[in-house]
């Protein structure tokens, strides 16, 4: 079994204290909260990745001397783009754990927050002065410095009515209010920023900042997923039976009719069938990946996997896959997956970050593991 990373929290703050006093309430500086990140990447690593096919990247530039004139280019990016930037630029690469399982293993440091809330790891690379401007996010984020230094300023808490600078391709605040934090983070330092708290990061030199983001689904996503799951219930396709009072105007859709339909919907949601639909819908939704999986290997047969394992490689969980356990049901990358008892025990070992060797697998489990590897749930190391 791999050694479990310590939680990314100060020594004097337990997970219980953090969740009660800081989570979605106020920021927290965690000095040397993620030392394992130091030296893992250099700026050239990210720049080389940003121009590769299939990478989700953005190039944000700021016109010299004009704080309110910005440009944005989305991937695909080219070497020409990188070589013709103004003085102030930033490149953001999303979904980095899919390209670096080693980085994805650092999610363990945040396991005091349920994994179903994990979004992705984004990295920001910038030269001295580089920034994406003052802004706020709708999600929780741990900003981890991996290389160089970045100065962070935190200001007011925003809401949906907070105005942005008009005419810019990115969301920019022209007023952060009174600053409540202004410090330079060194490599290994981590800053937790709750949703809607205004923040502004400025590179002090060539630097890499890794954003470990956490978010929950919104109500529109939930309603959409509930509707998708409900289409599998044939009984719900029957027209509703409703009481009907005499109306003076036959064209009218009465408030009483709307209320009756609403109550039918509420009754459904509160029923056992409704609970099953909602549970399945939410479980599928939060286990879906926002980005496509990256295939590092050609598909392997069980015989080919057996040979690789006998030659000293081992199997590990792919940190870019999303595993969600709801009661006794596993949801993986948006699908409810059924396992035999032996498969369930093996999946539990994988999700405990065990490294699985050849001797750990029966012939049947070897075939299962080959299937899971080809589904990108697992990786060979």
């Amino acid at each position: 079994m791999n050694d479990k990373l310590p939680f990314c929290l100060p020594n004097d703050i337990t997970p219980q204290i953090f969740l009660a006093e800081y989570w979605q309430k106020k920021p927290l500086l965690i000095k040397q909260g993620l030392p394992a990140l130091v030296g893992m990447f250099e700026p050239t690593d990210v720049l080389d990745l940003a121009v590769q096919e299939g990478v989700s990247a953005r190039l944000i530039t700021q016109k010299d001397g004009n704080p309110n004139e910005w440009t944005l280019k989305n991937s695909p990016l080219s070497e020409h783009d990188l070589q013709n930037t103004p003085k102030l630029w930033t490149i953001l690469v999303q979904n980095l754990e899919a390209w670096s399982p080693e980085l994805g293993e650092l999610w363990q440091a945040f396991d005091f927050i349920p994994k179903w809330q994990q979004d992705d790891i984004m990295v920001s690379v910038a030269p001295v002065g580089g920034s994406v401007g003052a802004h706020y996010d709708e999600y929780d984020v741990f900003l981890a410095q991996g290389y160089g230094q970045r100065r962070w300023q935190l200001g007011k808490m925003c809401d949906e009515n907070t105005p942005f600078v008009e005419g810019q391709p990115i969301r920019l605040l022209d007023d952060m209010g009174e600053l409540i934090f202004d410090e330079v983070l060194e490599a290994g330092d981590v800053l937790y920023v709750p949703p809607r708290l205004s923040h502004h990061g400025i590179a002090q030199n060539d630097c890499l900042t890794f954003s470990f983001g956490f978010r929950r689904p919104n109500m529109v996503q939930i309603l959409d997923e509930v509707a998708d799951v409900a289409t599998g219930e044939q009984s719900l396709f029957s027209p509703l039976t409703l009481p009907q009072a005499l109306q003076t105007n036959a064209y009218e859709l009465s408030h009483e009719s709307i209320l009756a339909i609403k109550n039918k919907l509420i009754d459904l949601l509160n029923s056992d069938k409704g609970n099953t639909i909602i549970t399945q819908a939410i479980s599928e939704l939060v286990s879906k990946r926002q980005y496509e999986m990256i295939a590092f290997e050609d598909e392997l047969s069980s015989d080919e996997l057996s040979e690789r394992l006998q030659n000293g490689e081992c199997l590990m969980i792919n940190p870019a896959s999303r595993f969600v356990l709801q009661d006794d049901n596993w949801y993986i990358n948006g699908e409810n997956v059924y396992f035999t008892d032996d498969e369930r025990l093996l999946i539990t070992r994988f999700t405990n970050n065990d490294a699985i060797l050849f001797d750990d697998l029966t012939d049947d489990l070897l075939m299962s593991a080959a299937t899971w590897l080809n589904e990108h749930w697992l990786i060979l190391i």
Side-chain angles (χ1 to χ4, degrees):
M1 178 181 290
N2 283 0
D3 292 334
K4 185 79 171 178
L5 285 175
F7 287 153
C8 180
L9 289 171
N11 292 332
D12 59 342
I13 294 182
T14 65
Q16 292 84 354
I17 291 174
F18 174 80
L19 293 174
E21 299 182 10
Y22 293 90
W23 181 246
Q24 300 192 336
K25 297 181 182 71
K26 60 183 180 181
L28 177 65
L29 174 63
I30 310 164
K31 296 295 292 182
Q32 291 304 296
L34 205 56
L37 185 59
V38 179
M40 189 176 287
F41 298 90
E42 296 186 355
T44 52
D45 299 324
V46 177
L47 295 177
D48 290 343
L49 178 62
V51 296
Q52 290 190 28
E53 183 179 356
V55 173
S56 178
R58 289 170 287 167
L59 170 61
I60 297 172
T61 63
Q62 182 180 2
K63 186 172 181 179
D64 298 348
N66 189 337
N68 288 324
E69 190 169 340
W70 300 72
T71 64
L72 167 67
K73 182 175 182 182
N74 293 309
S75 54
L77 302 180
S78 67
E79 292 287 353
H80 180 268
D81 294 323
L82 273 57
Q83 294 168 2
N84 289 273
T85 61
K87 179 180 178 181
L88 300 178
W89 56 269
T90 294
I91 287 179
L92 306 175
V93 178
Q94 304 282 163
N95 190 33
L96 201 63
E97 65 267 50
W99 298 93
S100 172
E102 180 185 15
L103 175 67
E105 291 181 6
L106 299 190
W107 275 121
Q108 299 173 43
F110 305 96
D111 277 355
F112 49 94
I113 302 164
K115 282 186 175 294
W116 65 263
Q117 297 186 39
Q118 290 177 1
D119 190 17
D120 77 321
I121 305 173
M122 182 186 75
V123 63
S124 166
V125 56
V128 60
S131 172
V132 296
H135 65 286
Y136 72 84
D137 300 309
E138 296 283 359
Y139 52 88
D140 299 86
V141 64
F142 291 84
L143 301 166
Q145 196 63 25
Y147 183 96
Q149 300 169 309
R150 187 180 291 268
R151 177 186 178 188
W152 283 103
Q153 297 175 319
L154 308 179
K156 66 182 180 182
M157 191 66 74
C158 301
D159 59 33
E160 63 274 9
N161 297 315
T162 302
F164 295 107
V165 178
E166 294 183 359
Q168 298 302 315
I170 57 176
R171 302 198 318 172
L172 294 169
L173 299 171
D174 58 7
D175 178 22
M176 289 178 57
E178 181 180 354
L179 294 183
I180 61 171
F181 179 93
D182 190 347
E183 290 196 35
V184 174
L185 268 62
E186 307 283 345
D189 293 346
V190 179
L191 177 63
Y192 165 68
V193 179
R196 294 189 171 181
L197 182 66
S198 59
H199 52 284
H200 186 194
I202 305 170
Q204 304 300 288
N205 40 44
D206 290 350
C207 82
L208 296 175
T209 303
F210 295 80
S211 301
F212 291 76
F214 291 82
R215 72 170 75 219
R216 280 66 48 195
N218 60 50
M219 289 304 298
V220 172
Q221 291 173 310
I222 294 171
L223 291 171
D224 186 54
E225 194 72 28
V226 166
D228 282 348
V229 172
T231 58
E233 291 287 338
Q234 290 301 314
S235 63
L236 300 182
F237 285 88
S238 299
L240 297 176
T241 57
L242 298 171
Q244 182 61 62
L246 181 63
Q247 295 183 189
T248 57
N249 185 344
Y251 288 97
E252 181 186 6
L253 171 61
S254 68
H255 292 291
E256 290 77 13
S257 294
I258 292 174
L259 180 60
I261 294 172
K262 175 183 174 181
N263 286 334
K264 288 280 188 178
L265 177 59
I266 292 172
D267 289 343
L268 169 64
L269 295 178
N270 285 331
S271 68
D272 290 341
K273 180 179 292 185
N275 186 61
T276 298
I277 291 171
I278 292 171
T279 299
Q280 181 180 341
I282 293 175
S283 299
E284 290 182 359
L285 177 60
V286 300
S287 68
K288 287 181 179 178
R289 282 187 45 78
Q290 183 178 356
Y291 300 95
E292 293 292 327
M293 296 295 295
I294 307 300
F296 292 106
E297 304 258 4
D298 292 332
E299 288 199 2
L300 296 181
S301 67
S302 57
D303 289 340
E304 291 169 326
L305 175 58
S306 174
E307 182 178 354
R308 296 275 293 268
L309 293 174
Q310 290 182 72
N311 286 334
E313 293 183 78
C314 64
L315 285 164
M316 292 283 294
I317 192 173
N318 184 347
S321 273
R322 296 183 67 88
F323 287 72
V324 172
L325 180 62
Q326 200 289 312
D327 285 341
D328 291 327
N329 298 311
W330 278 105
Y331 292 81
I332 304 175
N333 297 338
E335 295 185 10
N336 188 1
V337 184
Y338 296 92
F339 296 115
T340 66
D341 290 342
D342 287 343
E343 288 175 334
R344 184 178 298 276
L345 290 173
L346 183 58
I347 282 292
T348 299
R349 290 192 62 187
F350 279 121
T351 56
N352 285 335
N353 297 299
D354 278 2
I356 302 301
L357 307 174
F358 175 77
D359 291 341
D360 296 320
L361 302 173
T362 64
D363 289 344
D364 287 343
L365 288 178
L366 183 65
M367 294 180 64
S368 298
T371 299
W372 302 344
L373 178 67
N374 293 331
E375 292 285 345
H376 314 305
W377 302 353
L378 309 177
I379 55 174
L380 273 167
I381 60 172

